[in-house]
Amino acid sequence: MEKKIAFLGLGGMGTPMARRLLAAGYPLTVWNRTASRAAQLAAAGAGVAATPAEAVREADVVITMLADPAAVREVVGAFASALRPGVTLIEASSIGPQGVREVAGMLPEGVALVDAPVMGSVDRAAGGELSLLVGGDVTEVRDVLEVFGTLTLCGATGTGAALKVVLINAVITGVTAIGEAMALADAFGLPEELVTGAMAHGPLAGVAGRAFGQGSHFPVWLAAKDVALAVSGADLPLSRAVHGRLTAFPSAASEDLGQIVKHIRAAQR
């Protein structure tokens, strides 16, 4: 592969995505704030940079997969001056359209920006089965993006980030609603198996599957961050209430979103 890629952000999603690039044969340099997370990728053949600027210096394509808008602004600010004309930055974090506009304003002349946040869990990232919501011109980087999964081309830069907020907010709201539905079932004295079985065969099957499923890890604090992005974009009373529910249980912050169901039920007992 001719394209040299820099990947910044080796969290739960970033690490398997970076592994996909190595498996596809791309020359890869990685950077992560906690340097120890890069060790396994180094053993698999990736170069490890000490700073964001060092990571991108020789790159043709730069990918950022970071926790929130503040982290993205900090890291992009640290490497922007090292980007060469002709480089494409793929911003894969969930930062919303306003965050993408802020990133665009930080980039030097001649650097292209594609927003490509993802839908999917860690296992789907490892298998190259993510759904990528893409805004911007993908002509130069389609081959790179397709290593991660299936592309939905959304339109101009920022539209992928916008659709991600719409979709993930719907999922988070649905999972939270399942928590309250289970609390109501508890109040009525209904057997748990009866309620979950009915949900699994009804119109709520998809969101119930996410609420009760195993193997995913989307931390509650990240879910709250995504709902906050939604609330910042429109007047959404329901989403504000969901954000309050998600932040009402500090002990759940690092747990998977589905675990919010048990916390909501416990609070009603």
Side-chain angles (χ1 to χ4, degrees):
M1 295 291 183
E2 294 183 359
K3 292 187 180 77
K4 296 179 181 178
I5 300 178
F7 199 107
L8 296 93
L10 302 175
M13 295 294 285
T15 294
M17 291 174 70
R19 285 187 178 280
R20 294 285 305 172
L21 293 169
L22 283 174
Y26 287 99
L28 182 67
T29 299
V30 299
W31 174 86
N32 193 68
R33 190 184 309 276
T34 303
S36 59
R37 290 187 177 177
Q40 292 183 351
L41 289 164
V48 179
T51 66
E54 180 184 328
V56 309
R57 192 159 286 125
E58 301 297 325
D60 303 302
V61 179
V62 176
I63 303 171
T64 47
M65 186 55 144
L66 301 160
D68 55 30
V72 172
R73 287 192 298 269
E74 179 182 347
V75 173
V76 173
F79 69 62
S81 63
L83 295 171
R84 298 175 291 105
V87 169
T88 298
L89 169 61
I90 299 172
E91 212 311 287
S93 319
S94 295
I95 60 172
Q98 177 58 34
V100 171
R101 287 190 289 270
E102 292 173 359
V103 169
M106 300 172 70
L107 300 180
E109 188 75 23
V111 174
L113 174 62
V114 172
D115 54 301
V118 304
M119 295 290 290
S121 55
V122 173
D123 58 336
R124 289 188 174 276
E129 299 173 336
L130 294 172
S131 174
L132 288 83
L133 310 174
V134 184
D137 184 355
V138 302
T139 304
E140 297 298 322
V141 293
R142 180 184 285 270
D143 58 328
V144 175
L145 291 168
E146 288 180 341
V147 169
F148 305 129
T150 302
L151 312 189
T152 297
L153 303 181
C154 301
T157 304
T159 55
L163 183 57
K164 170 62 184 286
V165 174
V166 170
L167 297 183
I168 198 64
N169 192 56
V171 171
I172 296 165
T173 299
V175 170
T176 307
I178 291 292
E180 294 208 344
M182 293 304 300
L184 179 60
D186 292 340
F188 286 157
L190 294 173
E192 181 170 336
E193 296 77 9
L194 172 66
V195 179
T196 56
M199 285 182 175
H201 293 92
L204 297 176
V207 69
R210 177 60 185 87
F212 300 122
Q214 304 295 317
S216 297
H217 187 65
F218 176 38
V220 170
W221 76 269
L222 280 179
K225 177 267 296 183
D226 285 341
V227 176
L229 290 174
V231 169
S232 71
D235 182 15
L236 304 171
L238 179 57
S239 294
R240 287 199 301 271
V242 168
H243 187 270
R245 282 307 233 171
L246 296 175
T247 56
F249 308 104
S251 63
S254 297
E255 297 178 3
D256 177 63
L257 172 63
Q259 296 302 304
I260 204 67
V261 173
K262 73 176 183 182
H263 290 282
I264 290 172
R265 294 175 74 182
Q268 299 303 310
R269 292 178 182 146

